[in-house]
Amino acid sequence: MKEKLNDLLKNTIDYCFQQEQLKETPLPDYVIEVPNNRDHGHLATNLPMLLASSQKRAPRDIAKVIVENFKDPEGFLEKIEIAGPGFINFTISSIEWLKILKDIIELNEKYGSTASKRGESVLVEFVSANPTGPLHLGHGRGAALGDTICRILDFRGYDVVREFYINDAGVQIRLLGESIYARWLQMKNPDHLFPENGYHGDYILDLAKEIAVEKDLSSMDEETAISTCSEIGKEKMLLEIKKDLEQFRVDFDIWFNESELFEKGLVAKSLEEMKEKDELYEKDGALWIKTASYGDDKDRVIKKQDGQFTYFASDISYHLDKHKRGFSRALNLWGADHHGYINRVKSALKANDIDGNWLSVLLIQLVKLFKEGQEIRMSKRAGQYVTMKDLLEEVDVDAARFVFLTKTHDSALDFDIDMVKKHDNDNPVYYVQYAHARICSIFRKAEDEGIDIALNIDENDLTGLKLDEEVDLIRYLEGFTELLDSICKSFEAHRLTYYLTDLAARFHRYFNLGIKDGGNRIITEDLHLTKARLALVAGVKTVIRNGLNLLGVSAPEKM
RNA sequence: GCGCUCAUAGCUCAGUUGGAUAGAGUGACGGACUACGAAUCCGUAGGUCGCAGGUUCGAAUCCUGCUGAGCGCGCCA
């Protein structure tokens, strides 16, 4: 609708220029938007106010010229008005809205998607938890957000690849092995020392017991035993992580091993390339990269005095590899405590002639867990945290995913487990699902009454939809596509949950209108009107279902 | 000390590249089921958009300063 109106508006402005009604100037960056207030029409533009300075005329005068010369040969508009300081408010003729509804019903599960691919590929890396412990709530938030962003990008025609980066090369894996081995030794000798920075969670002892069944640790020397524990412990943790994610309906295309970067010589290779570009130097027996020349606070070490690579070395190599794989964009979801790292990585990319904008990073703020009104503090060091596994035992996947997406990613989230557990109206996901189930119920009722619910319609079958509330609903349904496109740019997936909640509210309100005044019921004695209203609620149902699907939440027909 | 993020109703939070009268849920109070699901709806009350300046036709939104909260500043990963 906005595009159509914009075309008419541009034609009109050109005409005004030709007729010298307006001085010919470049067009300012105006907007066409949906006004909050129904009295302000369906769409409004601020163009006259922005033209005021270059035209040297009052905004309302300019608006008057535009309105008087408006070219609308096909009767797209019903009304044009000048309002406020110089807005132009447009009311679109109702038949246009009925065509939109017809499209929604025809497109059905495809409504909101684009059939054509954009030829733009995006690599989304998220969760990427170390395989040294189970997933916790913070990972859940990242998983819900990342997966939903991917679903939306995919729906809107992007080629999306979901990737999980496995840190399986560093000292943390060694430490995992040491922790497991120590726990195993402690089973016989409780006084055995536990490694200083070891992993303290109960799962370490479980792993030790499992591994002891599979391997005869007592016959091994300490070194062999630890590396055995490292290797098997890592594999088992990874399996757990995959299981949790699968249950959470998150599916990765690629599981990328950090260790492969070393095994395939990619780290060495990227170092070579950077050396040739003169981006590296040696100082104090270590190897440094000149990130400070590209916006970082200071240069960084990538190979330590002892000959070991830093984590940063493989990370640079990893991101260069992502770029070489040919993606037009990359998106990383990181915990907010990594924010100091963004500049560093981007600087390293720039040192390799890659534009910093190629990579976007979303920082996900902390999740605080509340139980019975009390905050449950999580501490990885003490092994105290609520795991995804614990969460999924208590809570519906639907509810968890929805609640994770009720706040912007850059603001801390209070996760009230008692609220999420409740199967009542305290829980926003059921409010949306209820609207869907209610519509399904209306269709069951209509079918019982022998009404043909096939909905093979054209816009002339919909002319019964005359109430403001009915047109408003269609207008809101039309906003779905634009919302999704906006999320593709900003990655603010939480806006979809708000949209769906709002859509459900609008539907419930419309539905209740009919209860007070029997004349506004959906199923009436007027068959023509009944079919039109069934079409309207079918449109609502379609958008709720498609939207919930993008959130990874089910749309039940009965609850 | 430097840097990143945040600050909106009693509470939890939305607010789309700056737009018209700042919204929702929840809590409080009062209403609506003898025909489509009351897991719903309607109404009332509740605001110095942290504070102070600035930019302009117009600021919760952009800029500067201040206050407060969280996080990060390693040859750790």
Side-chain angles (χ1 to χ4, degrees), chain A residues 107-113 143-156 162 248-251 397-398 401-402 405 429 432-433 436 480 484 487 493 496-497 499-500 503 540-556:
Chain A
L107 289 167
N108 199 6
E109 75 280 355
K110 294 197 177 72
Y111 174 68
S113 70
L145 177 64
D147 183 57
T148 295
I149 289 171
C150 288
R151 286 172 192 242
I152 294 172
L153 286 170
D154 183 48
F155 202 56
R156 294 302 300 161
R162 298 152 206 239
F248 204 48
R249 303 174 191 151
V250 177
D251 191 24
V397 174
D398 282 347
R401 289 192 60 129
F402 198 92
L405 289 169
V429 69
V432 178
Q433 290 183 323
H436 184 270
F480 184 55
L484 296 182
I487 293 173
L496 182 54
T497 65
Y499 171 84
L500 291 174
L503 176 58
V540 174
K541 184 182 118 177
T542 294
V543 173
I544 290 179
R545 196 225 307 114
N546 294 1
L548 286 176
N549 192 30
L550 292 172
L551 294 175
V553 173
S554 68

Side-chain angles (χ1 to χ4, degrees), chain A residues 116 128 149 155 198 234-235 287 374 439 485 552:
Chain A
S116 59
S128 295
I149 289 171
F155 202 56
K234 178 188 82 183
E235 291 305 323
L287 188 63
Q374 293 286 313
I439 294 169
D485 269 341

